[in-house]
Amino acid sequence: MKSNSLIMMYNLIESTIKQTIFHIYESVNFDKIPFQGLSDDYKKLFEKYNFRGKEGNQLTNRNKIIEASNLLVENILNKEEINFENDKFKLSGNADLKKAKQIYSTHGINIKNDKNLPDCGFALLFIKNSRNGLAHGSETFSEVGRTKTVDDICEYSEVVIDFLEYLIKKTNVFIQHKRYKQ
């Protein structure tokens, strides 16, 4: 039961991170912004995503890279609106505080030194490592469940809720102020 709770918390963390990022992309796409109108962070993201295939993997085929380069130049020169695709964003099995800080920083939201950031690093790391141990078969549900009490799990759930509310609030403020624009 405790192991299942940790898996559910991990899924909630990963899903919330993805959905907040997708919400930003939806806002950018809705505003129909040309490349020149994007903030520097979003210009870099678009360039990075432009050189990824449908599965989100980095392009390696020379012809595909040339095609992506030509498309990027054409979009910029013609001042075409930029469209961020959710499937280019990847987060799989590694959602903890360190990864969240990196993702949000890349997306123009600095949470690294924010005094309002809940103290959640240890809990998120434990949840991620437990989930990965279970998902990859290196730990059993009994082994993971034995390491924490019900009170520990309840405390982790409160920490996770605080953290996710924080991320949602930061994302909403970012979108309201359209900080993805130049």
Side-chain angles (χ1 to χ4, degrees):
M1 183 84 141
K2 292 181 277 186
S3 297
N4 285 332
S5 297
L6 291 168
I7 289 175
M8 289 187 328
M9 281 187 261
Y10 179 81
N11 289 342
L12 187 59
I13 293 164
E14 185 173 292
S15 175
T16 301
I17 290 172
K18 284 182 175 180
Q19 291 306 312
T20 56
I21 297 303
F22 294 167
H23 189 55
I24 295 171
Y25 292 174
E26 184 179 286
S27 297
V28 172
N29 295 345
F30 180 80
D31 284 350
K32 301 181 186 308
I33 305 168
F35 183 84
Q36 295 84 342
L38 294 173
S39 70
D40 289 341
D41 288 326
Y42 282 81
K43 285 178 183 175
K44 288 176 191 169
L45 271 175
F46 186 73
E47 290 167 354
K48 174 182 163 185
Y49 288 167
N50 197 58
F51 291 96
R52 288 190 176 177
K54 289 286 184 203
E55 299 80 36
N57 300 324
Q58 192 69 29
L59 295 177
T60 55
N61 178 291
R62 184 176 183 274
N63 290 336
K64 294 281 187 189
I65 293 171
I66 291 170
E67 183 181 319
S69 298
N70 289 336
L71 183 61
L72 179 61
V73 170
E74 185 178 311
N75 283 343
I76 293 169
L77 292 176
N78 294 332
K79 297 184 179 181
E80 294 177 16
E81 64 189 53
I82 296 305
N83 188 34
F84 281 90
E85 300 172 23
N86 292 348
D87 62 349
K88 301 284 178 136
F89 176 76
K90 296 296 177 198
L91 174 64
S92 181
N94 60 357
D96 60 11
L97 182 59
K98 181 179 177 182
K99 187 65 175 178
K101 287 179 177 182
Q102 182 261 318
I103 288 167
Y104 284 91
S105 177
T106 302
H107 286 83
I109 302 173
N110 188 357
I111 64 172
K112 288 183 181 176
N113 300 315
D114 190 339
K115 65 181 180 353
N116 296 317
L117 177 66
D119 184 15
C120 58
F122 178 78
L124 296 182
L125 183 62
F126 180 80
I127 291 166
K128 178 195 79 168
N129 289 342
S130 297
R131 177 263 180 208
N132 287 344
L134 292 166
H136 299 293
S138 61
E139 294 183 89
T140 66
F141 280 77
S142 298
E143 290 169 339
V144 170
R146 239 183 273 134
T147 64
K148 295 295 174 190
T149 65
V150 171
D151 287 341
D152 292 333
I153 300 301
C154 290
E155 185 179 322
Y156 284 175
S157 69
E158 290 173 18
V159 168
V160 167
I161 290 168
D162 289 345
F163 176 65
L164 298 179
E165 287 176 344
Y166 168 84
L167 291 180
I168 291 167
K169 182 179 178 183
K170 292 289 279 189
T171 303
N172 286 338
V173 168
F174 181 84
I175 291 169
Q176 286 171 353
H177 292 103
K178 298 182 184 281
R179 293 192 177 131
Y180 45 80
K181 287 186 172 183
Q182 201 170 52

